[in-house]
Every structure is written in C-alpha cells, then in structure tokens.
Amino acid sequence: MKIIALQEPITASIDKISSDKSISHRCAIFSLLSDQKSVIKNYLKAEDTLNTLKIIEKLGAIVEYDDDFIAITPPKEIIEPNCVLECGNSGTTMRILMGFLASIDGFFVLSGDKYLNSRPMKRVGAPLSEVGAKIYGRNDGNLAPLCIKGTKLDYFKFDSKIASAQVKTALILAGLNSNGCEISEPELSRDHSEKMLISMGADISINGLNIDVKPISKPLKPLNINVANDPSSAFYFALIAAIIPNSHIILKNVILNKTRTMAYDVLRQMGVYVKFIKKESSYDDIGDIEIKYSQLNGISVSQNTSWLIDEAPALAIAFACANGKSTLRNAAELRVKECDRIAVMVDGLKTCGIDAKEFDDGFEIVGGVPNAAIIEPSGDHRIAMSFAILGLKCGMIIENSECINTSFPSFSQILRDIGVKVED
C-alpha cells in the first residue's frame, strides 16, 4: 500500500466504518449459550470474525449468511470436532474460546497463523488452569497450538492482577458453563461481555470491580442485535482530523462505551475538538463523534491504559505530530498483541525521523516533522493503518498491508472515498 501525502484538508461524514470487532466475536461465541436462533445484523465480515464463525460451525452451529445479517442456530450439544479449530490471526477468538471450551466436555485443539502461534496465551491459560481447567500447549502451555480437555469446573474465585477483557470474558464463560464464580480485576477493562450476557439473561451481578457469576440453569435468550461501528476502527479517521490542518470529520453510528472511547478523550486533552453525540442505548450507548482540527500538544497518559491498547499505535502517530513530548505508560499489554506494538511503533517512527524511545510498559515520543518511509507492520493491522494515516502528512509505503483485512477490509476504500490517494 502506498499513501500519497494530502495537499488539502479533509471534510467528511463517514458512516460505512467497520462494524465492531469485539462485539462481532462475542455475538458468534455467546450465541452458543442459547437454544434458539440468534440474528446479528451488520456482523463484521473480516478475516478474524469470519474465522470465529467457521469455528462455531465446527462446534455444531448452523450459520446462515445474508448480505445484511447472519443467523446462528446453536447445536443441542457442542460437538467434539475431528479437526483443529483455526483462529487465523485472532487472539480474541483463541482466548475467549479457551474459557468457553475449558468448561465443555470434550477435546479441542486451537491454532492460528504464524503470528498468533507466537503470541503468549498463558495470560489466559494460567488463570484458567489455576481454577481447574486442563489446557496444554507449546512452551509449557504458553504458545499455540493449544489442547483443551474440557470439563465442568468447580465453583471458583479469581483475583486477576491485570485488567484484561479477554481474561475476564474467558473466566466468566468458564463459570457460566460450570458452577459459577467470583472475579475481580484491578481496574475496569472493557465490559461488553458482562453487558451482553446480562441482556441475554445470564445471572451476573457487578459491584465495582467485582463480578459474581451464577451458573446457567437454562439456555440464555438468543441475540437479536445490530452491531454498531467500531470506535477503534473509526479512530483512524479521527486521527486524520487531528493531524491534518483544517480537517473536520464526523463518524456515524459508533459505540460510545466509555471503555472504548478514551483515545478520543486523549485527543481532546491534546487540544482537538471532540464531541460525542449519543443517539441510542441498546446493548450499549451508540451515536456520532465529531472531530475538528486544532494543533496537538504533548500529553502524558498512564491511567486506564487497558482502554487504549487497540488505539495506542494510532495515538503514537498523534504524539508524533504534537508540540512537545508525549508519553504512554502502564501499557505493557502492548507487548503481547499481534506484535510487540511498543517496539514496532518506536522503530517505525524512528524510520520516519521522529524522536521516540521505548519503556518496558510504553513509549516516549517527541513531536516533529515526519518523513516518508517504508514500514513493515509485522503482521499487525493496527500498526499498518496507523502509519498509513501518518502517510497523509508525508507519504508512506506500507509493506504486507494485507494484514489490514483481518479487521478492516474496507479501510483503503474509505480513504479513497474521502479524497486520499491510495495505491495498492
């Protein structure tokens, strides 16, 4: 992918943003907890989320595909598949399924592509093993392929030392399918799972950072949901308005959950005009986000960083275009995503002539004038898209940019639609 630098500001209202990836994954997996057909409109049809659908089909679900929706009929009982369950590049798929399958009678094998199979899975596997799950894999269970010998677990309590929606969701599913559980976390991580499961009828109570999960006594209600646009995907276009002078962008029909919009709050704190316009509240708050250009100023971010893991690469681009020095700390989770996002972002920014350095748990970036460069995103869709946006200021070549298809296959087309010159 080659990005040509912009000569004019961008003014646009964008509604065809990628559907929310986190919600789409959960819709597919949570549908297995019902005994009735679920209907999901606007399901994200990207490589990662389609792999999740293929897996639930191998577990016995019937998936009907339509242009506007998918319908999922769950099996009466989960099938023990005679093949490997291929997760592709999706860590969310693998980690959430670890919790779900750990509490289902049967033998299951989870694997992925070369990038996913090099990512640490013990962060989910260790908590599950601690409460009785049987999970095995390479590197003492830390690397896929993973083998899971599922069985109903005893009631358990778990005090998580990290704020991770994937860890929390895996434990909730293990408790729901077994004899219940109590979970706590050090700070609130994304809470889509709790909200969706409660809306389906799960007996889950929340008291601050503590979650009490009662076992399922009867199948949950099916999902009937219209998946809104992904705020993490939309953020790349917010970034355009933040770094290209005189730009003005409105993002339509976006999830406004506070655990998903902190990156926009960071832009606001850096000086950009950001307005949330709530339109509805169903399984979550949904509405529009308006962003207008203003000169960015440096900032230090260290709180609620679990809410920023997906947007951190794009925020690094904002830091690179700001006046002064910016830092992100308490974000060691970035080291275990699709790639080591701290190392890859810092190296990429240095290639673009930006002063940047690593910390164990984040990075420091001094704003400057970027130069055109050739970027290798290490198989990480968010790295690729972030440097593509920086290319609007200076031009950029993104090698192996097909990784963007894992979450946002229409990214390049939307850029073209709003006036960006993109060469494949």
Side-chain angles (χ1 to χ4, degrees):
M1 173 191 289
K2 182 177 181 180
I3 304 293
I4 309 301
L6 284 173
Q7 303 301 317
E8 301 289 340
I10 295 287
T11 298
S13 179
I14 307 173
D15 59 359
K16 294 182 180 179
I17 305 164
S18 181
S19 309
D20 192 85
K21 184 180 176 186
S22 296
I23 299 294
S24 295
H25 280 307
R26 284 161 173 77
C27 283
I29 297 170
F30 294 176
S31 70
L32 301 178
L33 298 171
S34 181
D35 61 351
Q36 300 175 57
K37 181 184 290 188
S38 289
V39 177
I40 300 106
K41 297 178 182 177
N42 204 34
Y43 185 91
L44 175 61
K45 294 177 181 176
E47 289 178 5
D48 279 359
T49 46
L50 291 174
N51 279 329
T52 303
L53 290 177
K54 291 175 185 175
I55 287 174
I56 68 167
E57 286 182 298
K58 291 176 181 176
L59 295 174
I62 298 172
V63 181
E64 303 168 56
Y65 296 83
D66 188 270
D67 290 341
D68 299 322
F69 67 89
I70 62 166
I72 302 172
T73 302
K76 292 183 178 178
E77 290 186 358
I78 298 296
I79 291 173
E80 185 180 61
N82 63 357
C83 58
V84 173
L85 301 175
E86 294 288 352
C87 302
N89 188 245
S90 178
T92 299
T93 303
M94 183 171 284
R95 288 168 173 159
I96 291 180
L97 280 172
M98 287 168 68
F100 178 77
L101 296 174
S103 55
I104 301 292
D105 286 336
F107 181 79
F108 310 92
V109 180
L110 297 170
S111 189
D113 64 15
K114 65 179 182 179
Y115 298 107
L116 183 58
N117 283 4
S118 66
R119 291 172 62 184
M121 290 297 146
K122 217 167 187 179
R123 57 191 294 101
V124 175
L128 287 168
S129 297
E130 188 175 324
V131 301
K134 296 179 174 60
I135 300 174
Y136 312 94
R138 295 184 302 124
N139 191 222
D140 193 29
N142 192 39
L143 300 176
L146 299 173
C147 300
I148 301 171
K149 182 63 178 73
T151 186
K152 184 165 287 192
L153 306 176
D154 293 333
Y155 174 85
F156 63 85
K157 293 184 179 182
F158 190 82
D159 181 15
S160 180
K161 303 304 180 186
I162 60 173
S164 165
Q166 292 175 350
V167 172
K168 178 171 62 176
T169 302
L171 289 166
I172 288 173
L173 291 175
L176 275 176
N177 279 325
S178 297
N179 292 295
C181 63
E182 291 181 38
I183 305 165
S184 66
E185 54 183 349
E187 66 180 31
L188 180 64
S189 61
R190 291 182 178 182
D191 57 359
H192 296 309
S193 294
E194 303 96 293
K195 289 184 174 181
M196 291 177 68
L197 290 167
I198 289 170
S199 73
M200 294 175 71
D203 190 351
I204 298 174
S205 57
I206 301 169
N207 182 15
L209 299 175
N210 300 301
I211 304 172
D212 181 64
V213 180
K214 296 291 191 298
I216 293 176
S217 57
K218 61 180 181 180
L220 300 184
K221 294 182 292 186
L223 288 161
N224 188 346
I225 189 172
N226 189 342
V227 181
N229 289 328
D230 191 322
S232 300
S233 296
F235 189 71
Y236 300 101
F237 304 105
L239 183 60
I240 294 175
I243 69 172
I244 302 300
N246 302 316
S247 292
H248 178 198
I249 287 178
I250 298 175
L251 305 167
K252 308 288 287 186
N253 192 39
V254 179
I255 290 176
L256 300 180
N257 181 305
K258 70 176 184 179
T259 68
R260 299 293 305 282
T261 57
M262 184 176 169
Y264 296 87
D265 292 326
V266 172
L267 286 185
R268 180 189 283 148
Q269 293 167 35
M270 296 177 75
V272 177
Y273 175 89
V274 177
K275 182 179 181 181
F276 299 112
I277 307 164
K278 181 178 172 182
K279 296 291 184 68
E280 63 174 285
S281 184
S282 50
Y283 58 91
D284 224 320
D285 291 342
I286 297 167
D288 301 341
I289 307 176
E290 182 180 12
I291 309 97
K292 294 180 184 177
Y293 173 83
S294 183
Q295 176 59 54
L296 292 161
N297 296 303
I299 191 172
S300 294
V301 181
S302 60
Q303 302 296 316
N304 291 323
T305 51
S306 64
W307 300 358
L308 290 172
I309 299 304
D310 284 345
E311 295 82 11
L315 277 176
I317 301 302
F319 292 176
C321 298
N323 288 327
K325 180 171 66 178
S326 298
T327 59
L328 175 67
R329 302 301 300 265
N330 297 325
E333 180 91 357
L334 289 169
R335 298 271 188 195
V336 295
K337 298 301 288 183
E338 280 80 345
C339 68
D340 181 339
R341 286 179 174 166
I342 294 173
V344 175
M345 281 305 302
V346 167
D347 287 347
L349 287 172
K350 287 179 178 178
T351 301
C352 295
I354 298 296
D355 183 0
K357 69 178 182 181
E358 294 182 40
F359 301 120
D360 289 344
D361 63 346
F363 43 70
E364 177 185 280
I365 297 168
V366 179
V369 179
N371 53 250
I374 299 174
I375 300 295
E376 165 52 59
S378 298
D380 192 315
H381 53 124
R382 300 197 188 279
I383 301 286
M385 289 186 283
S386 296
F387 278 103
I389 300 303
L390 184 59
L392 302 185
K393 291 188 74 71
C394 56
M396 201 72 65
I397 294 174
I398 314 296
E399 296 186 326
N400 300 312
S401 61
E402 62 273 8
C403 61
I404 293 171
N405 293 329
T406 63
S407 69
F408 202 165
S410 61
F411 175 72
S412 295
Q413 187 57 52
I414 295 175
L415 286 178
R416 292 187 180 97
D417 290 345
I418 64 176
V420 177
K421 292 182 180 178
V422 183
E423 297 177 7
D424 294 325

